[in-house]
Amino acid sequence: MTSMPHPVRRILLRSGKSPFTALSIEDALHQDVIATNAGNLIFSDAAHKILSTPGTEVVSNGMRTEIAAAERINDEFDVFVVPLANAFRPSFELPLKRLTRLISKLRIPVVVLGVGAQAGLNHDRARLAPIEPSVKRFVSAVLDRSACIGVRGEFTEQYLKDLGFRDVDVIGCPSLFWHGDRLTIDKADTLAPGSRIALNGSHSAMRNKRLAGLLRRTWEQYEDVRFIGQNLSEARALHWRDMSDGGPATMPTHPAHPLYRDGKVRVYIDPVTWIRELRGVDYSLGSRIHGNIAALLAGTPCTVLCADSRTLELARYFEIPHHKLTDLPADPDAADLYAAADFGPLMKGHKERFERFTGFLAKNGLENTFEHGDQGAEFEARMSEPDFPPAVRPWNTADLTSVSERFNWLHSRLDDVTKRNTVLERALARLPAAASAQPRQSVYRRARRAVGRPLKRALQAKG
């Protein structure tokens, strides 16, 4: 076990990108800075803010695990901080192994924030049995370089203890400590017909008939509704109409869905814009844990509809209003769920949970901005400087501007997008007529004349 009695000065943080880096929508999607899910940036950005203290530099290393970079990391950094979500699951075993190989080559401390195991709502761990050797190697490598490992909730704590580990602290997720020990939720008595509602749901959770039915009735009953997706595939479906790895037509992020056609779907690339826009929303509802945490950070009431252990243990730990999908009534109603949501326990226990989290950091030699810095003031000031892109929206028109923007980006990234050069053409074929009532092919030809011919010639030259 490695003890760290002095504050570190240079922190390497596992995150898709620096919170202060503003990328275009096209670049963000092409580089996959959200690591397939925009929720990842909420907890990594929160960790970046929390760890930003005077004299400390926090550097984002990206999500790609470069084992060959171990020696450079040893030379240039004082600690490697790894915020994680549901990393103990079969589909993440290969990235977990690569991360273990990197950590095993490090001589500096390694601190893991909020890792979780994923099982069903019944907490049956049978599906986790095949990955137990990989989990053990990972946790052993981390504990060789830190005082303890931070987990999301009691389910993961018990899972690791049953594997033989004792230095396990339940700390939740860094995301809810974005504002430190402050958390205020403003809730009206009831929803009104004009209430603004944000809906969310993963592809797997939306297969549940009760959840799908609830969300459908909600967007039918309330006019001011938006569905907020989080996946990279959903963002590509919105921006490029690229359905090569998209979900079914029953998902609001599919071009055939009425919410898509009405322009009522969003995916956010940056947490700062996500949280900012949720401040104007009255209620957030759905199965996405970080989609609903983004609402809480905006002061907006939410209800989490738990589809598995990863959402359930976080909702329980933080006392966020929640329901298991299996416990929902046959015909649930958004107004009833809103009325039943009690945020008293969440807010009352928040300071104690924050102190538990900062205590975990202190055990691992890490300071935090709320006790040792400026309460995050400099971080927030820097976040106001970049020109972050707006949310990804449905591409429903074939106007010359929108087509030209996409062609220009494809042309500027010719070398690394050649294999995807038909994406735009396929998307245009699916577009409705332009808003100006011009025939789609006419708008398409104008765009090709403006910027498309150089791209076509270059592609032909490359064979």
Side-chain angles (χ1 to χ4, degrees):
M1 183 185 300
T2 301
S3 61
M4 296 184 293
H6 63 281
V8 298
R9 312 307 289 174
R10 203 154 191 263
I11 298 173
L12 181 64
L13 182 72
R14 183 180 185 268
S15 60
K17 71 177 184 69
S18 166
F20 315 117
T21 300
L23 298 174
S24 68
I25 290 173
E26 292 85 2
D27 283 335
L29 299 188
H30 181 61
Q31 297 175 31
D32 187 17
V33 295
I34 64 174
T36 76
N37 188 325
N40 291 318
L41 285 183
I42 292 185
F43 59 77
S44 65
D45 279 15
H48 196 119
K49 176 182 179 179
I50 292 165
L51 297 172
S52 297
T53 58
T56 297
E57 180 186 10
V58 182
V59 178
S60 297
N61 76 323
M63 288 297 197
R64 184 177 179 183
T65 302
E66 296 185 23
I67 300 168
E71 200 56 41
R72 177 183 60 81
I73 294 171
N74 285 324
D75 292 340
E76 297 181 7
F77 295 93
D78 298 289
V79 63
F80 182 31
V81 176
V82 187
L84 290 171
N86 53 322
F88 300 154
R89 67 183 195 274
S91 61
F92 196 75
E93 184 177 18
L94 184 57
L96 191 68
K97 286 181 175 180
R98 289 186 58 82
L99 195 52
T100 303
R101 289 176 61 193
L102 172 62
I103 291 171
S104 297
K105 292 178 178 293
L106 298 181
R107 298 186 299 274
I108 61 174
V110 176
V111 183
V112 170
L113 304 181
V115 66
Q118 182 174 338
L121 288 173
N122 60 0
H123 290 159
D124 183 1
R125 302 204 306 243
R127 67 188 298 269
L128 299 178
I131 69 168
E132 282 185 6
S134 297
V135 172
K136 288 180 178 180
R137 284 191 289 270
F138 172 78
V139 177
S140 295
V142 170
L143 290 178
D144 284 344
R145 294 160 179 80
S146 61
C148 48
I149 186 169
V151 300
R152 296 177 76 156
E154 293 181 357
F155 171 69
T156 305
E157 176 189 33
Q158 190 59 53
Y159 171 65
L160 292 186
K161 286 186 173 180
D162 289 345
L163 293 181
F165 299 103
R166 293 292 173 264
D167 298 316
V168 182
D169 283 11
V170 177
I171 60 171
C173 177
S175 55
L176 258 174
F177 302 122
W178 190 298
H179 304 307
D181 65 0
R182 296 175 292 107
L183 187 65
T184 303
I185 310 302
D186 298 318
K187 179 176 178 282
D189 293 334
T190 60
L191 291 179
S195 295
R196 297 186 63 190
I197 300 178
L199 303 176
N200 57 75
S202 65
H203 291 193
S204 58
M206 289 286 281
R207 296 191 190 105
N208 181 283
K209 292 182 179 180
R210 292 180 182 180
L211 175 61
L214 168 63
L215 299 190
R216 184 182 63 254
R217 283 190 298 275
T218 303
W219 69 62
E220 289 173 350
Q221 293 171 3
Y222 297 88
E223 291 186 5
D224 201 348
V225 170
R226 283 183 182 172
F227 183 90
I228 300 178
Q230 291 182 201
N231 286 354
L232 176 67
S233 60
E234 294 175 314
R236 286 174 173 165
L238 265 60
H239 191 70
W240 292 108
R241 285 186 168 239
D242 178 2
M243 300 307 298
S244 57
D245 55 357
T250 53
M251 283 295 296
T253 48
H254 192 286
H257 197 280
L259 286 184
Y260 188 112
R261 294 197 302 267
D262 292 343
K264 295 183 176 181
V265 186
R266 301 287 187 271
V267 174
Y268 294 90
I269 298 301
D270 298 281
V272 62
T273 54
W274 194 351
I275 296 168
R276 182 188 303 145
E277 293 197 13
L278 282 173
R279 291 191 184 119
V281 170
D282 298 299
Y283 187 39
S284 174
L285 176 65
S287 65
R288 290 287 196 182
I289 186 64
H290 282 101
N292 288 305
I293 285 177
L296 294 175
L297 295 175
T300 297
C302 75
T303 298
V304 181
L305 303 175
C306 301
D308 53 32
S309 68
R310 59 177 172 164
T311 51
L312 183 60
E313 71 172 344
L314 264 186
R316 282 178 170 171
Y317 177 71
F318 283 111
E319 298 183 274
I320 303 170
H322 66 278
H323 300 271
K324 294 181 181 179
L325 283 182
T326 51
D327 293 342
L328 282 178
D331 193 23
D333 182 83
D336 293 338
L337 295 174
Y338 179 84
D342 180 7
F343 296 92
L346 167 68
M347 291 187 289
K348 183 178 179 180
H350 187 70
K351 184 174 182 180
E352 180 183 347
R353 284 184 284 265
F354 176 70
E355 290 172 351
R356 191 177 303 140
F357 176 73
T358 55
F360 166 83
L361 295 180
K363 279 195 287 187
N364 286 287
L366 294 169
E367 292 186 336
N368 71 85
T369 187
F370 299 100
E371 294 179 317
H372 310 101
D374 61 1
Q375 306 285 309
E378 182 181 354
F379 177 93
E380 296 294 346
R382 289 187 64 186
M383 289 292 281
S384 66
E385 296 171 0
D387 185 16
F388 293 105
V392 187
R393 291 169 166 79
W395 186 22
N396 278 327
T397 61
D399 61 278
L400 182 60
T401 299
S402 69
V403 174
S404 297
E405 287 173 349
R406 287 160 173 81
F407 263 113
N408 279 328
W409 182 84
L410 284 169
H411 188 268
S412 68
R413 298 296 186 277
L414 181 61
D415 288 338
D416 55 8
V417 299
T418 299
K419 63 182 179 180
R420 296 177 64 87
N421 68 76
T422 60
V423 168
L424 185 63
E425 191 162 353
R426 290 199 307 266
L428 285 167
R430 300 188 188 102
L431 280 171
S436 61
Q438 292 177 313
R440 180 170 61 247
Q441 290 301 318
S442 173
V443 176
Y444 181 36
R445 283 194 292 271
R446 289 172 59 202
R448 288 291 292 263
R449 284 197 298 270
V451 294
R453 283 177 178 169
L455 173 63
K456 183 177 179 180
R457 286 195 298 270
L459 287 171
Q460 290 173 339
K462 290 178 71 68

